[in-house]
Amino acid sequence: MATVTFDHVTKAYADGTIAVNELDLLIKDGEFLVLVGPSGCGKTTALRCLAGLEEITAGQIKIDARIVNRVPPKDRNIAMVFQSYALYPHMTVFDNLAFGLKLMKTPKQEIKRRVEEAAKILNLETLLERKPRALSGGQRQRVALGRAIVREPAAFLMDEPLSNLDAKLRVQTRAEILRLQRRLETTTVYVTHDQVEAMTMGDRIAVMNLGVLQQIGTPPELYDNPVNVFVAAFIGSPAMNFATAKADDGKLVLGGTTLHLSGEAAKAAAQNRGRDLLIGFRPEDLVLNGNGRADDVHIPAQIDVVEYLGHEELIHAQSEGHEIVALVPSEQKVQAGQEVKFAIQSNKLHVFDPETELNLTARG
Amino acid sequence: MGGSSRFGRFQGMLFASPALIVLGLFVIYPAYYTIRLAFYQGDFNFHFFHYLGLKNFKDLLTNDPDFLDTSKFHGFNIVKELVYKSDGGALINNVHWVIFYLSFSLIIGLGLAVLAVRVRYERAVKTAIFVPMAISATAVGIIWLFVYSPNPDTGLLNAIIHGFDNGFHPIAWVGRPSLVNYCLIFAYIWASVGFVMVVLSAAIKGIPAEIMEAARVDGAGEWNIFRRIMFPMLSLPISVVTVWLFVNVIKVFDIIYVMTSGGPGTSSRVIAFTMYEETFQNFSNTRGPGYGAAVAVIMLVLVAPVMVLNVRRFRSERVVT
């Protein structure tokens, strides 16, 4: 158990590509931190830097108080779970689990005890004598996890460990990993490109894009208060709607519709009078034919397509030249071609500066 | 499926027949002929002349010091055998070939393969090491004759040693019965190591990087990664290469023919060389080509089990992966 610190960490490759740019992160002891972002955003590189598999170009990485910049991976006391699981194909499950302990010259009895304990936690007891090729994807995944936990390392590093599992197993294993981490209270850095995984698993989430940390916070913080357009668009599924509107005193003009605002949004509009601003609103915040709350903003739209999801339905619609998506309870019967009005609470409206892409309505 | 019907079976045979005919004509029939000839004295036209039964084999193994001289063989005391190496005949020489050629080719080849993947000019290095592979054994022999030449103006090896030690008297490396075999073996290793390296370095590249990385994170240093991950994962290619080297060394002939013609005396003869000598050169009243055929049969007997093991190993690996 340990804290992990990234202090202005930069990783540049020989060809000049900057994979990680000035990354600052403080991961608390026992915390489950998720690094999330689209592919190529530098999240895996950051993790590999922490593992010692990549050398950093500038900055410092600390595990507890120890600077590990030049410490080889084997001496960092961390365990890593790889996307491909990277099990040793010529060893049995038992030997795969015991490998790290053997290298540490752990006594045989102790190895046996710890491997069996890990096998019990992960339900691998009956598979110990098998070779990896005789295991299913889910079982291999559990062996990879087991290999990490037997060593009782200072931190777990996980690089998209669920991406090779099918959807059902992924949901199940997600919960399993969480349960395991809560139980062991080991500091965990988890890399994924899947924002649902990030939202459901992380104590905190760090969103990265193009090598730069965009925002770090708890899942509700990121969902409610994205600092910029990228985070707003990345977090949440289906993704946030965006539209361009002209700012005026306390209102925004979206095509032929005037949106009368209150609160932060009104302030942002007033400060940027005459400018085009980007407004963002989440599909699930839109209410069909909203019944007149005072601070509601109304957006007219024509329905294109309705996707029925069972409990809910996804409405694709055109509004003032923008394509918008709304997620509404499915009892509301609407049809393609129909003209409707969506209502949204003014304080659910995000206003972004189109140049800096920063959120002008972010609270706290 | 067509395979189960009569027509299907006929069709299958039809397609296989060209290969079968070639195989029968050039492998199976000559093999049969040779094995049969080994029981005869034979004549200049390789006819089955004068049946001898097992006499050829008996003579070879008990009565031919050029092929096997157990009186000079230090038994299985390998250290003694190597230190007091003396002329134990072609079969013992070939045992030396197997031990030294096989182990050094593998060790050097594997070492180079491991190192080659780490250097910046990997391709250039590999090409340089692989080049001897592309040279014919005859040319290899001539090159090394120069290297071993006792004339210090042409003999590279003598010149090098002379450079370190002025009082050194040039040695006729391939002219000494005690050294000649090792000199030949070394030249042949030089010519084969490139192949071993190329095959093994390709296999090393086939090991997923993540597995090595996992081992590094798990606490393994370079040596442990090599010993516990790389080496076991290379066991199949290593065994394939070993078989190739083994077959190669059992039938080694050309380089010896070029460099020493089995000499000085008969001290650098090996099995294949003896086969050639006895079949085509050494006719006498009592020995004909049948004697050489018997040597060929012994060679076949030595190679066959290794081939069988290899094929079996391949089959089992294929099933599980």
Side-chain angles (χ1 to χ4, degrees):
Chain A
M1 261 145 278
T3 59
V4 171
T5 316
F6 282 76
D7 185 5
H8 289 84
V9 171
T10 296
K11 169 71 192 176
Y13 287 104
D15 64 357
T17 326
I18 295 177
V20 177
N21 197 354
E22 297 266 326
L23 178 63
D24 275 317
L25 277 179
L26 175 69
I27 303 155
K28 292 176 238 162
D29 185 14
E31 186 177 26
F32 196 117
L33 181 98
V34 178
L35 272 176
V36 69
S39 55
C41 74
K43 56 194 190 301
T44 296
T45 308
L47 191 77
R48 290 170 58 85
C49 288
L50 174 55
L53 297 171
E54 304 274 358
E55 224 171 282
I56 62 176
T57 316
Q60 267 185 0
I61 295 180
K62 286 196 275 189
I63 297 176
D64 277 334
R66 185 166 75 131
I67 298 168
V68 294
N69 289 12
R70 302 219 157 264
V71 178
K74 69 186 177 76
D75 299 324
R76 292 195 182 195
N77 190 27
I78 38 132
M80 187 154 169
V81 179
F82 290 83
Q83 185 173 359
S84 66
Y85 316 141
L87 302 181
Y88 311 125
H90 57 290
M91 296 184 196
T92 60
V93 170
F94 184 96
D95 289 331
N96 262 283
L97 296 178
F99 185 69
L101 297 175
K102 270 185 197 158
L103 291 172
M104 287 193 282
K105 307 247 176 328
T106 315
K108 267 207 171 133
Q109 277 306 310
E110 174 73 4
I111 292 179
K112 194 164 169 332
R113 188 186 67 74
R114 274 159 74 170
V115 168
E116 277 169 2
E117 192 184 307
K120 202 167 154 194
I121 295 172
L122 292 165
N123 237 333
L124 292 168
E125 290 150 300
T126 54
L127 307 174
L128 285 174
E129 293 313 312
R130 289 211 200 157
K131 293 260 176 83
R133 60 174 172 251
L135 302 179
S136 70
Q139 289 167 338
R140 286 177 201 193
Q141 214 282 337
R142 295 211 300 274
V143 176
L145 281 177
R147 201 165 61 181
I149 67 174
V150 284
R151 287 191 26 225
E152 297 172 10
F156 292 144
L157 314 185
M158 303 195 186
D159 185 9
E160 312 222 6
L162 303 183
S163 55
N164 285 345
L165 300 179
D166 61 52
K168 194 178 163 200
L169 206 52
R170 201 177 307 159
V171 173
Q172 199 180 319
T173 314
R174 202 161 76 190
E176 222 166 88
I177 291 178
L178 262 187
R179 215 174 297 134
L180 196 66
Q181 199 269 343
R182 298 277 181 265
R183 172 172 169 177
L184 302 170
E185 294 182 327
T186 306
T187 313
T188 303
V189 185
Y190 186 105
V191 163
T192 179
H193 65 271
D194 180 351
Q195 62 91 24
V196 177
E197 245 170 61
M199 293 292 273
T200 49
M201 299 180 82
D203 289 328
R204 282 192 305 158
I205 300 172
V207 183
M208 289 183 74
N209 187 34
L210 302 172
V212 178
L213 177 66
Q214 306 289 316
Q215 187 174 6
I216 178 163
T218 62
E221 277 167 11
L222 296 192
Y223 180 80
D224 295 330
N225 274 312
V227 295
N228 58 25
V229 174
F230 180 81
V231 176
F234 194 81
I235 298 292
S237 171
M240 187 184 272
N241 296 299
F242 291 99
T244 311
K246 201 163 211 76
D248 205 339
D249 253 342
K251 60 192 179 192
L252 285 161
V253 183
L254 177 69
T257 312
T258 304
L259 312 175
H260 295 279
L261 309 170
S262 59
E264 298 288 331
K267 236 184 271 170
Q271 282 164 3
N272 290 280
R273 270 179 69 174
R275 284 185 69 201
D276 276 337
L277 295 178
L278 204 59
I279 57 171
F281 44 95
R282 297 203 177 275
E284 52 273 33
D285 289 336
L286 289 174
V287 180
L288 200 58
N289 305 322
N291 38 7
R293 282 176 52 153
D295 60 346
D296 271 1
V297 173
H298 293 276
I299 302 170
Q302 184 177 23
I303 295 173
D304 272 343
V305 178
V306 180
E307 291 178 332
Y308 178 74
L309 302 174
H311 177 58
E312 292 159 319
E313 57 194 14
L314 211 52
I315 300 174
H316 296 260
Q318 291 289 333
S319 172
E320 304 290 355
H322 295 282
E323 192 173 311
I324 64 171
V325 175
L327 188 67
V328 300
S330 51
E331 65 261 22
Q332 288 176 296
K333 296 279 175 260
V334 284
Q335 282 168 354
Q338 201 177 326
E339 300 275 352
V340 293
K341 227 172 199 170
F342 289 113
I344 182 170
Q345 285 176 40
S346 186
N347 64 0
K348 300 269 184 178
L349 211 56
H350 301 271
V351 181
F352 301 93
D353 185 316
E355 275 154 40
T356 62
E357 299 205 337
L358 290 177
N359 190 344
L360 303 172
T361 45
R363 289 150 281 247
Chain B
M1 286 284 289
S4 55
S5 74
R6 249 181 101 156
F7 174 72
R9 203 169 298 170
F10 170 73
Q11 203 180 26
M13 287 302 287
L14 196 70
F15 281 123
S17 59
L20 289 176
I21 289 167
V22 171
L23 202 70
L25 220 57
F26 294 106
V27 177
I28 296 172
Y29 178 69
Y32 154 79
Y33 198 101
T34 307
I35 292 169
R36 190 168 162 206
L37 189 64
F39 295 90
Y40 292 83
Q41 185 181 331
D43 65 12
F44 295 101
N45 295 317
F46 296 92
H47 288 138
F48 298 118
F49 163 76
H50 192 54
Y51 182 77
L52 295 175
L54 288 169
K55 182 168 182 301
N56 281 336
F57 294 98
K58 208 176 133 198
D59 280 354
L60 262 175
L61 297 173
T62 60
N63 204 16
D64 183 352
D66 287 345
F67 188 71
L68 177 66
D69 186 355
T70 44
S71 70
K72 291 185 183 152
F73 179 50
H74 295 282
F76 293 98
N77 188 338
I78 290 177
V79 177
K80 218 173 165 191
E81 167 66 19
L82 295 182
V83 173
Y84 302 110
K85 166 77 185 91
S86 53
D87 192 2
L91 199 60
I92 302 298
N93 281 344
N94 233 146
V95 171
H96 285 252
W97 270 86
V98 169
I99 294 170
F100 286 98
Y101 173 75
L102 225 65
S103 53
F104 280 96
S105 295
L106 273 179
I107 292 167
I108 298 171
L110 181 61
L112 288 173
V114 172
L115 295 178
V117 290
R118 291 158 178 255
V119 297
R120 196 185 302 176
Y121 304 105
E122 183 191 343
R123 227 187 251 185
V125 170
K126 273 193 190 165
T127 308
I129 298 169
F130 193 71
V131 160
M133 234 355 248
I135 304 175
S136 75
T138 313
V140 170
I142 290 167
I143 291 171
W144 281 88
L145 272 182
F146 280 118
V147 174
Y148 291 139
S149 166
N151 178 350
D153 291 331
T154 41
L156 180 68
L157 190 55
N158 280 316
I160 289 173
I161 300 176
H162 191 75
F164 286 104
D165 176 9
N166 265 332
F168 174 76
H169 291 289
I171 292 175
W173 295 99
V174 291
R176 293 192 179 188
S178 58
L179 290 176
V180 61
N181 281 301
Y182 303 118
C183 291
L184 292 172
I185 291 170
F186 189 82
Y188 211 47
I189 290 172
W190 177 80
S192 317
V193 127
F195 174 78
V196 179
M197 177 200 67
V198 167
V199 171
L200 294 184
S201 80
I204 287 172
K205 289 202 170 155
I207 300 176
E210 286 203 336
I211 289 184
M212 311 266 209
E213 287 174 350
R216 282 168 71 192
V217 174
D218 257 352
E222 295 298 325
W223 171 244
N224 271 315
I225 287 178
F226 175 76
R227 190 169 74 96
R228 296 173 191 265
I229 307 292
M230 226 189 234
F231 191 72
M233 287 185 76
L234 291 177
S235 67
L236 184 66
I238 285 175
S239 79
V240 170
V241 167
T242 306
V243 168
W244 182 83
L245 290 170
F246 182 79
V247 172
N248 221 15
V249 75
I250 292 294
K251 65 183 181 127
V252 61
F253 168 77
D254 31 21
I255 195 167
I256 295 169
Y257 184 78
V258 172
M259 288 182 73
T260 65
S261 292
T266 57
S267 52
S268 64
R269 281 190 175 195
V270 291
I271 302 172
F273 191 86
T274 309
M275 176 182 82
Y276 165 78
E277 280 285 308
E278 300 296 346
T279 312
F280 300 107
Q281 306 284 324
N282 227 5
F283 296 168
S284 69
N285 288 337
T286 50
R287 278 189 199 170
Y291 197 70
V295 179
V297 171
I298 289 174
M299 217 161 109
L300 182 69
V301 168
L302 289 174
V303 174
V306 178
M307 295 310 285
V308 170
L309 272 178
N310 191 41
V311 170
R312 218 177 265 175
R313 167 103 206 247
F314 252 132
R315 211 175 282 157
S316 68
E317 286 285 333
R318 206 172 306 150
V319 171
V320 289
T321 44

